[in-house]
Amino acid sequence: MTGTQASPRPQGGHAATKTVTVDVVVPVYNEERALRGCVEVLKTYLAERFPFEWTITIVDNASTDGTLPIATELAEADDHVRVLHLDEKGRGRALRTAWQFSDADVVAYMDVDLSTGLDALLPLVAPLANGHSDISIGSRLAPGARTVRGPKRELISRCYNALIRLSHGAKFSDAQCGFKAARTDVIRPLLDHVRDDNWFFDTELLLLAEHNGLRVHEVPVDWVEDVDTRVKIGSTALEDIRGLIRVARAKAGGTARVRDLPQRPEPSPAHPDAVVSRRDTGLVWQLLSFGAIGAVSTAVTLVLYAMFRSVMNPLAANLVALIVTTMFNTEANRRFTFLGARGSSSRVHFQGLIIFGLYYAFTSAALLVLHSTVAEPSRILELTVLLGASLLGTVGRFVLLRGWVFKQGKGKI
């Protein structure tokens, strides 16, 4: 890798009143057609409408056309622009290098096609500049966002983000919108734990951020698809799925914890005489919430069992139905029932796996007993026995979750 830094930022005008510096990174690969126009539009916006001191860093991602000479020319013509050149491809590698290289307080990035409207840049950066949030992301799927893109990309994006929420319980709505920012002091410790160097980089970064308790701020954006893209959707999708599995294993093994992150203090009242309520509302709330979630989960399990039973034996149909509903059930209980629970660890994942195994064994045993005593039980009888076993198993599951997995006073989980 080679790099060229811009000269010190100008001190004239109203720069002295600016207390936060922002580095806007634009990763490029064979973008000789779009690069010059992108930088000119971005410079105009930042100079006229952006209240913070800024730098644009172009990261040439091993381009083979005239991108690097154009980037160098732009950097030589303006002290606010600088260029880095990498000898290897990979958007994640480009962002990692630029953000580690940057001396700004806040680092951001956007795609060279400027698909995201620049009016969202200030709302993206502001909560980082004032310390309210740690990472900000543009979202094409958040309420208020407006997008213009083809149905294929829309469907793939929604399915992928739904998969992230299902498999990891993520709270953010759009992992791969090319419009993000972060506080530099927060992002650098995370970068050492992000393994992907390509398109999964964004997703992995956000999953690790949420896993480590960072606050992620979402900004609904206006987004217009540029069909001149370098993304190969098929291979990228497979890499993303492999990445989701890898991050899940890292969470389960405890290696996704980042020890050097700045810690956000616990919420506290500003009024000296405030009477503060408890976040954990106790057994009554837990019973009501767990019961509601359990009722929905049980109903869905019975429906799925009835569907799968026509093509599977009882044990297989029960297993598939439980796998589907357990993921939703556990995440819902983590968010709504056991409010004092935070994050995740290898112990929590292991205990959850044990509880799932016990629940499956209990409900399957009930089906086995039924088939050993009744030669050819009807589907209605099977569902009735499964319902009874599920209700008993749910009681045991609540006891184990409350008294074992999410037990308070045993350290952060």
Side-chain angles (χ1 to χ4, degrees):
M1 182 200 77
T2 60
T4 304
Q5 294 192 45
S7 57
R9 299 179 180 88
Q11 299 300 314
H14 58 281
T17 64
K18 298 179 179 179
T19 58
V20 174
T21 56
V22 180
D23 188 3
V24 181
V25 175
V26 182
V28 291
Y29 170 69
N30 288 351
E31 296 286 359
E32 61 181 2
R33 179 188 65 84
L35 178 58
R36 193 182 301 275
C38 163
V39 173
E40 292 302 325
V41 170
L42 183 55
K43 281 170 51 181
T44 300
Y45 171 83
L46 292 171
E48 296 179 356
R49 303 180 60 184
F50 199 63
F52 304 113
E53 189 174 349
W54 54 271
T55 297
I56 299 172
T57 299
I58 305 167
V59 186
D60 176 45
N61 216 185
S63 296
T64 57
D65 62 358
T67 297
L68 181 57
I70 293 174
T72 303
E73 178 186 336
L74 292 169
E76 291 174 348
D78 193 323
D79 288 340
H80 284 86
V81 180
R82 56 190 179 184
V83 58
L84 294 173
H85 171 70
L86 278 66
D87 295 326
E88 295 181 84
K89 288 175 58 178
R91 185 177 70 168
R93 180 179 289 107
L95 294 177
R96 184 199 316 277
T97 303
W99 286 350
Q100 288 176 332
F101 169 82
S102 181
D103 57 356
D105 302 309
V106 173
V107 288
Y109 95 89
M110 62 182 61
D111 292 334
V112 69
D113 57 14
L114 298 182
S115 293
T116 305
L118 291 177
D119 286 342
L121 183 57
L122 181 55
L124 190 81
V125 170
L128 307 178
N130 65 21
H132 175 270
S133 300
D134 302 304
I135 296 176
S136 285
I137 66 172
S139 174
R140 299 159 295 187
L141 304 177
R146 299 180 298 177
T147 63
V148 178
R149 60 175 167 177
K152 180 180 178 181
R153 291 283 294 272
E154 179 77 13
L155 178 62
I156 291 174
S157 175
R158 289 187 177 276
C159 289
Y160 176 63
N161 283 285
L163 179 61
I164 296 173
R165 292 192 293 273
L166 172 64
S167 59
H168 286 263
K171 298 178 182 177
F172 51 85
S173 65
D174 190 354
Q176 291 193 311
C177 179
F179 198 72
K180 294 182 174 67
R183 288 171 40 208
T184 306
D185 62 335
V186 170
I187 203 69
R188 282 189 173 139
L190 276 181
L191 290 175
D192 294 334
H193 289 72
V194 179
R195 292 175 50 188
D196 191 82
D197 288 325
N198 296 301
W199 296 99
F200 186 69
F201 175 91
D202 296 54
T203 304
E204 185 170 3
L205 179 70
L206 292 176
L207 290 175
L208 290 179
E210 280 198 345
H211 182 68
N212 285 277
L214 299 182
R215 177 176 289 166
V216 178
H217 176 72
E218 279 199 331
V219 178
V221 299
D222 296 336
W223 193 84
V224 179
E225 180 181 10
D226 187 337
V227 295
D228 181 21
T229 179
R230 304 293 182 266
V231 182
K232 297 180 180 179
I233 296 177
S235 59
T236 300
L238 292 176
E239 289 180 7
D240 288 345
I241 292 174
R242 286 195 291 266
L244 290 175
I245 296 172
R246 175 172 53 78
V247 174
R249 294 176 61 185
K251 288 181 178 181
T255 58
R257 285 291 178 196
V258 181
R259 300 185 182 278
D260 300 328
L261 284 175
Q263 296 298 311
R264 183 172 295 279
E266 291 293 327
S268 59
H271 193 284
D273 299 318
V275 180
V276 182
S277 64
R278 293 180 56 197
R279 187 167 184 257
D280 181 1
T281 50
L283 180 60
V284 173
W285 166 257
Q286 291 176 359
L287 286 172
L288 291 173
S289 176
F290 187 86
I293 294 169
V296 173
S297 298
T298 300
V300 173
T301 300
L302 293 176
V303 171
L304 292 176
Y305 177 85
M307 293 171 54
F308 296 135
R309 183 65 180 88
S310 61
V311 294
M312 299 178 181
N313 63 52
L315 298 186
N318 185 38
L319 177 62
V320 175
L322 284 178
I323 288 175
V324 174
T325 56
T326 295
M327 290 186 291
F328 290 102
N329 184 287
T330 302
E331 179 59 24
N333 279 306
R334 185 184 71 82
R335 292 194 183 193
F336 303 113
T337 304
F338 302 101
L339 299 178
R342 296 184 179 181
S344 179
S345 68
S346 57
R347 179 178 65 83
V348 171
H349 284 279
F350 181 69
Q351 289 171 330
L353 180 62
I354 292 176
I355 292 175
F356 171 79
L358 292 172
Y359 188 84
Y360 172 68
F362 183 75
T363 53
S364 296
L367 291 173
L368 287 175
V369 171
L370 171 65
H371 280 264
S372 66
T373 55
V374 180
E376 294 183 2
S378 65
R379 289 286 186 273
I380 296 298
L381 183 56
E382 278 190 352
L383 290 173
T384 301
V385 171
L386 185 59
L387 173 61
S390 297
L391 292 175
L392 290 175
T394 298
V395 173
R397 192 164 183 266
F398 174 80
V399 172
L400 289 173
L401 286 174
R402 187 174 193 271
W404 188 35
V405 178
F406 297 122
K407 186 175 183 179
Q408 300 299 305
K410 294 296 184 181
K412 189 175 180 178
I413 61 175

